[in-house]
Structures are given as C-alpha cells and as structure tokens.
Amino acid sequence: MVRYEKGHKDETRRQILDVASAQFRESGIAAVGLAGIMSEAGLTNGAFYTHFASKEDLVREVLLDALSRREQRHKDNLENGVELETTIRDYLSLRHRDRAGTGCPTAALAAEIARHPKATRDVFTGKISDIIALMAQQIRHGSADERRRKAIAIYAAMVGALQLSRAVNDRQLSEEILENAVEAALDLAGRR
C-alpha cells in the first residue's frame, strides 16, 4: 500500500478542481469529460471518485471555488478602495476576453448553468448575489435599493458584453462591444 504525505489528498483535489475549472471555462461543461480532466491532472479515472461523487458534484465545487475567488477579488477591491471603474475596465479588457480558461466563470458558463440541477444553480445564485452586493457597495450614490439595481444592471451588462465579445469573429466588433460596454457600465455607475 502506498502511503502519501499529509495534505496529498487536499493537493490532489485542488489539482482536479483547477484543471476542471480551466477546461470547463475554456470548452464548456458538456464538452469536457472526466477522463480528460483526470488525464491532464496526471491522475487515473478511478481517483476521481475519491474526491467527488459525480461530475455534477465537481461542477458545483468548481463554481463554488471559482466564484469564491472572484468574490474575494471584489472584497479586496472594496477594502483597498479600488474604484468600480477599475473593476469594470479590468473585466471588460482584451486580456480577460482572450483568457476564458482563467477568466470569470459567470461569462464562460452562465448559459450552461441554467440547464443544470437546482443544487448547482443554488450555488451559482448564492455567489452571484454576493458579488452583486459587493459591487453595490462600490456605487457611492443612491439608496441601497438603487445601488443594488445599478449593480445588477452593471454586472449583467459586463457578463453579456464579455460573452458577445468572445462569440463574434470580427475582432474590431469585439473590441467595440467591450469599449461601449465599459462606457455604458460607467454611465450606470454614475462615475462619468
């Protein structure tokens, strides 16, 4: 029997999550198989079930992990006084557009998540609600309800614009989508 060092199981789980997260965002959940994830992680298929009950369990864990990381970035921005404009410009950047595998899981996976079971959508919904609440805190003017409405509209515009910019095959149009979405989001935020 092979004995592993303490923490090996956690490291292996982290490796599976990281590989799955990148592959799901890059290719879509439906297009990615467990065999491909495990192969890229350098593990056998059988090792998967030591860490996850099913592919759907993995999807939920990937969403929770990736969206928690994005939420932490929003918290850090808020704590460090980073303006919402910076968040908007970073999100709607060419770099973010071109790096789906490491980018926002919402823009990469929202359409697919809508067709997943309630438990998966519950994880997604909870994290999106948290991110919207943090964005609302970055909006300085208006009542709490007004700031929340603006944050929802800004986030929805950002996600949709990023998705469109990735989907079109005309580079100039893609860049126009991002640039105009930045301007619209800033107008919504009242920063202009």
Side-chain angles (χ1 to χ4, degrees), residues 86-176:
T86 301
T87 301
I88 291 167
R89 289 187 184 282
D90 182 56
Y91 192 95
L92 294 171
S93 68
L94 299 177
R95 178 191 47 76
H96 193 197
R97 178 198 64 195
D98 296 341
R99 292 179 162 170
T102 58
C104 177
T106 304
L109 302 172
E112 278 190 274
I113 296 305
R115 294 184 288 274
H116 278 256
K118 182 182 181 310
T120 301
R121 290 183 16 250
D122 286 347
V123 166
F124 185 77
T125 300
K127 285 299 176 186
I128 296 305
S129 294
D130 293 343
I131 289 169
I132 288 168
L134 289 166
M135 288 182 75
Q137 290 180 48
Q138 286 184 288
I139 298 171
R140 298 181 197 261
H141 305 291
S143 69
D145 285 344
E146 289 170 331
R147 291 192 318 268
R148 178 174 167 75
R149 282 194 304 274
K150 287 180 181 181
I152 290 169
I154 291 166
Y155 191 60
M158 289 167 51
V159 170
L162 188 60
Q163 289 174 321
L164 283 174
S165 74
R166 287 175 176 165
V168 299
N169 64 1
D170 178 330
R171 195 136 179 101
Q172 182 179 347
L173 176 58
S174 176
E175 291 174 13
E176 285 180 287

Side-chain angles (χ1 to χ4, degrees), residues 2-191:
V2 176
R3 294 203 179 248
Y4 294 103
E5 292 180 31
K6 184 176 175 149
H8 176 77
K9 185 173 182 181
D10 291 339
E11 289 174 21
T12 302
R13 180 183 173 83
R14 172 88 262 147
Q15 177 69 7
I16 296 168
L17 280 171
D18 289 346
V19 168
S21 185
Q23 286 188 8
F24 289 163
R25 287 186 256 185
E26 194 70 40
S27 302
I29 296 166
V32 174
L34 295 180
I37 292 168
M38 297 307 284
S39 175
E40 187 173 325
L43 301 164
T44 64
N45 290 352
F48 175 84
Y49 294 100
T50 302
H51 303 280
F52 303 97
S54 64
K55 183 178 178 183
E56 195 63 34
D57 182 35
L58 174 62
V59 170
R60 278 190 298 277
E61 290 297 320
V62 162
L63 287 173
L64 184 61
D65 180 66
L67 289 170
S68 292
R69 288 178 187 211
R70 187 144 293 270
E71 178 186 11
Q72 187 59 52
R73 287 176 68 187
H74 283 277
K75 284 180 183 177
D76 292 346
N77 285 348
L78 196 57
E79 289 172 11
N80 294 317
V82 174
E83 297 291 325
L84 182 56
E85 179 174 349
T86 301
T87 301
I88 291 167
R89 289 187 184 282
D90 182 56
Y91 192 95
L92 294 171
S93 68
L94 299 177
R95 178 191 47 76
H96 193 197
R97 178 198 64 195
D98 296 341
R99 292 179 162 170
T102 58
C104 177
T106 304
L109 302 172
E112 278 190 274
I113 296 305
R115 294 184 288 274
H116 278 256
K118 182 182 181 310
T120 301
R121 290 183 16 250
D122 286 347
V123 166
F124 185 77
T125 300
K127 285 299 176 186
I128 296 305
S129 294
D130 293 343
I131 289 169
I132 288 168
L134 289 166
M135 288 182 75
Q137 290 180 48
Q138 286 184 288
I139 298 171
R140 298 181 197 261
H141 305 291
S143 69
D145 285 344
E146 289 170 331
R147 291 192 318 268
R148 178 174 167 75
R149 282 194 304 274
K150 287 180 181 181
I152 290 169
I154 291 166
Y155 191 60
M158 289 167 51
V159 170
L162 188 60
Q163 289 174 321
L164 283 174
S165 74
R166 287 175 176 165
V168 299
N169 64 1
D170 178 330
R171 195 136 179 101
Q172 182 179 347
L173 176 58
S174 176
E175 291 174 13
E176 285 180 287
I177 290 167
L178 293 175
E179 290 166 10
N180 286 291
V182 166
E183 298 304 316
L186 292 175
D187 285 345
L188 282 169
R191 295 293 173 98

